[in-house]
Amino acid sequence: LILLIIKTPQMRGFFIFGNMRNFFVFIMSLTLLIGCSFKSDPIKSALKEDRFLRKILKDKENYEIQILFTEVSKNSFGQTEFSDFQFQLNDQKYFYPASTIKLPITVMTLSKINELRAVGSNISLKSKINISLVNNKKEIIVKDSITSFQNLIADVFLVSDNSASNVLIDFIGYNYFNSTMNDAGYENTYLNHKFNPDPFVDSSWIITNIDNDTISSSENKITVSASSDISNLKKGNKRFINGEIINEPLDFISKNRSSLTDMHNIIKNLIYPEVTLSKFNLNVEDYDFLRYWMSRFTFEDLGAKYIGNEKFFNSYNKFFIHGTDTILNNTDIRVYNKIGQAYGTSTDSAFIKNYKEDVEFFLTATIYTNENKVINDNIYEYKETAIPFLSKLSKAIYKDLLD
């Protein structure tokens, strides 16, 4: 007989074994149990990595930080498994999604193209489309400009182009976006307005296919207001408008909205639709198309046209890993993402993978930086605080996984 006495924070008691084999099996199981219970939270570990992150952590409430992290691994059968972790996650606390909502706009664009093709419309991602601009007086400003959905979506991912995004909004329509996203399970994500700055933001794009059939939306927009259980809808103590400061916050009740959980799950669905049982109306080619453009650096492929533009650099569209670096230090790491930044809020939502090292994970995080508490004055601590935070956080998590 073997007598074993155990006193640990996880287990207390004594056990009697009749033979050495049963004793060995028990010890192995116990080792796995205790090992799992001691596994540290990778987000909290990352936030303690360096002095900068620790400083942000001390003021995490004022920075309105929310983080979702998913480690991707394979089980003994070769099946993909997710391990999810969160930090200060609160889907009922509002943050402005800014350009991150352009990702589901591109998804809905592909979805509507598939619906139109199913009823015989002559349209594809690469086929030519004509776009004409009509102002609110029904006057034609731009007539028959030729482009393609591929070019528009590429610009959305390469440089987060507002004008391209607004053309896509007029194609799909607000009601289509909101109802289809809701039906797909993303109840916290809705679209109420276009993106600024854009000189044509108050005008409408009329889109026709190569057969001259109008394919843009003609619906009457139904505005979605935030429900009464959503907090943090008013931002700042003051706001800047028409050259002067007004002593009142900016109300976001009718602004675009998403949640960190929705953003994170959208990325998961686009990378692993077979695991997440994605409800998007996309085919295999659509998923490949989106992954390709999500993972491009700014100057890649069609982005070569931006080389020489002082506004852009090669990692302009990547907060995670690359941050404010204007020169790429590690091109082995691919970041499939969509960033957003406006009104003091900076957000990135991404799938990050190093194919050489076989390291992969999902990360979505947001931070609010507005020290003077004035909204719309364009004085936000983006370069000093927000982007370095997102970059250092992702690098710390990556380093822990690599080790």
Side-chain angles (χ1 to χ4, degrees), residues 39-194:
K39 185 176 182 180
S40 61
D41 185 324
I43 299 177
K44 290 182 178 178
S45 298
L47 289 171
K48 296 175 182 177
E49 277 293 306
D50 67 16
R51 186 179 301 174
F52 178 86
L53 291 176
R54 290 195 297 270
K55 181 181 178 182
I56 299 296
L57 183 60
K58 289 179 180 178
D59 206 12
K60 58 185 184 294
E61 287 83 11
N62 285 332
Y63 284 121
E64 300 181 12
I65 294 169
Q66 294 188 49
I67 305 170
L68 268 172
F69 163 69
T70 299
E71 184 176 353
V72 182
S73 58
K74 303 287 185 184
N75 62 21
S76 57
F77 299 102
Q79 300 167 322
T80 300
E81 292 186 335
F82 297 150
S83 299
D84 298 313
F85 302 86
Q86 65 185 47
F87 182 81
Q88 288 200 148
L89 179 67
N90 185 352
D91 285 343
Q92 304 309 110
K93 185 175 183 178
Y94 182 87
F95 66 91
Y96 185 62
S99 291
T100 57
I101 205 168
K102 292 174 183 176
L103 174 57
I105 287 173
T106 64
V107 174
M108 291 299 100
T109 297
L110 297 182
S111 175
K112 186 172 180 180
I113 288 174
N114 288 336
E115 290 185 15
L116 291 173
R117 286 170 61 87
V119 295
S121 181
N122 189 3
I123 182 177
S124 71
L125 275 168
K126 295 183 179 181
S127 62
K128 293 179 180 178
I129 55 174
N130 291 321
I131 58 175
S132 300
L133 190 67
V134 180
N135 64 17
N136 52 16
K137 296 179 181 179
K138 305 300 181 183
E139 300 169 334
I140 296 178
I141 304 172
V142 177
K143 184 174 177 60
D144 292 339
S145 176
I146 298 175
T147 186
S148 70
F149 286 111
Q150 174 180 260
N151 289 348
L152 293 169
I153 291 173
D155 284 343
V156 169
F157 286 113
L158 294 171
V159 296
S160 200
D161 188 275
N162 284 343
S163 296
S165 303
N166 291 339
V167 174
L168 297 181
I169 289 174
D170 282 333
F171 170 64
I172 59 178
Y174 295 96
N175 300 347
Y176 177 87
F177 178 95
N178 294 335
S179 62
T180 308
M181 288 297 292
N182 187 78
D183 291 345
Y186 302 100
E187 299 176 356
N188 295 320
T189 300
Y190 51 78
L191 187 69
N192 279 332
H193 58 81
K194 292 182 177 180

Side-chain angles (χ1 to χ4, degrees), residues 332-387:
D332 292 335
I333 304 175
R334 278 287 170 180
V335 181
Y336 301 71
N337 75 312
K338 187 68 197 78
I339 62 171
Q341 190 173 68
Y343 296 120
T345 300
S346 301
T347 308
D348 202 346
S349 185
F351 170 69
I352 301 170
K353 179 158 186 174
N354 185 325
Y355 287 88
K356 288 186 177 180
E357 301 290 346
D358 198 26
V359 174
E360 58 182 301
F361 62 99
F362 294 91
L363 183 63
T364 304
T366 186
I367 181 172
Y368 179 68
T369 53
N370 187 15
E371 192 172 327
N372 68 8
K373 302 187 187 309
V374 178
I375 288 290
N376 220 31
D377 63 350
N378 289 325
I379 303 174
Y380 307 112
E381 296 70 46
Y382 290 148
K383 291 185 178 180
E384 309 94 307
T385 304
I387 299 177

